[in-house]
Amino acid sequence: MKLEEALKEISFYGRKCSELGLVVASGGNISIRSGKRIYITKHGCSLGKIERGDIVCVFLNKRSKRDKKASMDLEIHRAIYRASNFKAVLHTHPPFIIALSIHLDTYKPIDFESRLYLGSVPIIRSKHLSQEFLNDISRVFKEGGAVIARGHGIYVAGGSLEEAFNITNLIEHSAKIAYLTSSLRKVA
């Protein structure tokens, strides 16, 4: 994959995430693995309006000067790719799943379709970017494709960015259903 292809795909899904409220301002990040390289969004860029200079090409298994320009979550993306065969990682801050994650240890969707496609999604509590956090990420992505960072957001990986986006969207959709169900119990 070349930079222009990665830019087109990352920009498309970044815009969709922004439009759906899965990210705001400069929150979240996206990457695509291409062999031993990773195309990742730059630190501080807005996913809703990604431009050519907002994508950084870094190495999967070695550090370079370009790492400093990449998202602060670069090591998380590297950990996911090293632990799996996934080709894309999407990190977003969906409000409903973040709110639920504060009160749960594992997220188990209550609606049929989400249970069917997601099963349960683990919630990790370790400090963001700590070695424990990276170890937890590696452990989870050896077995599955999604994790919720308690009170922070979700990391979803897929065979493509489209797959990661669809799973992200499904997780947040199911969290909205859980929230609405809980709210309606109080009035019904």
Side-chain angles (χ1 to χ4, degrees):
M1 174 177 281
K2 298 199 185 281
L3 176 61
E4 291 305 319
E5 294 172 77
L7 172 62
K8 184 177 178 182
E9 194 170 345
I10 290 172
S11 176
F12 177 79
Y13 286 103
R15 219 174 13 262
K16 287 185 78 144
C17 286
S18 181
E19 289 168 359
L20 291 175
L22 300 171
V23 294
V24 295
S26 62
N29 42 72
I30 302 174
S31 73
I32 298 173
R33 177 168 66 179
S34 180
K36 295 180 181 182
R37 296 180 187 267
I38 301 170
Y39 294 101
I40 188 167
T41 49
K42 183 175 79 173
H43 175 72
C45 82
S46 169
L47 296 188
K49 53 180 182 173
I50 294 172
E51 299 172 357
R52 192 176 204 289
D54 293 328
I55 306 297
V56 181
C57 182
V58 297
F59 297 105
L60 174 61
N61 291 311
K62 67 178 183 178
R63 298 180 191 278
S64 74
K65 292 178 183 178
R66 288 181 263 169
D67 290 6
K68 292 180 182 179
K69 293 181 180 179
S71 166
M72 66 186 288
D73 282 354
L74 172 60
E75 292 306 318
I76 296 168
H77 289 247
R78 281 179 169 147
I80 292 168
Y81 291 133
R82 288 176 185 145
S84 71
N85 290 317
F86 291 118
K87 301 290 184 202
V89 175
L90 179 57
H91 169 55
T92 58
H93 303 142
F96 286 88
I97 198 64
I98 290 173
L100 286 173
S101 75
I102 292 168
H103 304 284
L104 302 171
D105 293 320
T106 300
Y107 178 62
K108 297 177 183 174
I110 61 171
D111 62 296
F112 173 78
E113 187 170 339
S114 299
R115 273 196 324 266
L116 179 66
Y117 289 105
L118 298 173
S120 62
V121 182
I123 298 173
I124 56 176
R125 297 171 176 237
S126 46
K127 183 181 175 192
H128 186 249
L129 295 177
S130 68
Q131 188 57 53
E132 181 184 6
F133 188 87
L134 293 174
N135 293 343
D136 288 344
I137 288 283
S138 294
R139 178 183 44 78
V140 168
F141 282 92
K142 283 179 183 174
E143 301 170 10
V147 69
I148 302 163
R150 186 175 193 190
H152 176 79
I154 57 177
Y155 292 87
V156 179
S160 67
L161 201 42
E162 178 181 23
E163 180 184 5
F165 171 78
N166 287 338
I167 293 167
T168 298
N169 201 18
L170 184 58
I171 291 170
E172 180 66 353
H173 177 75
S174 70
K176 289 176 186 175
I177 291 171
Y179 173 80
L180 291 170
T181 301
S182 175
S183 297
L184 291 171
R185 258 189 230 132
K186 295 173 185 168
V187 296

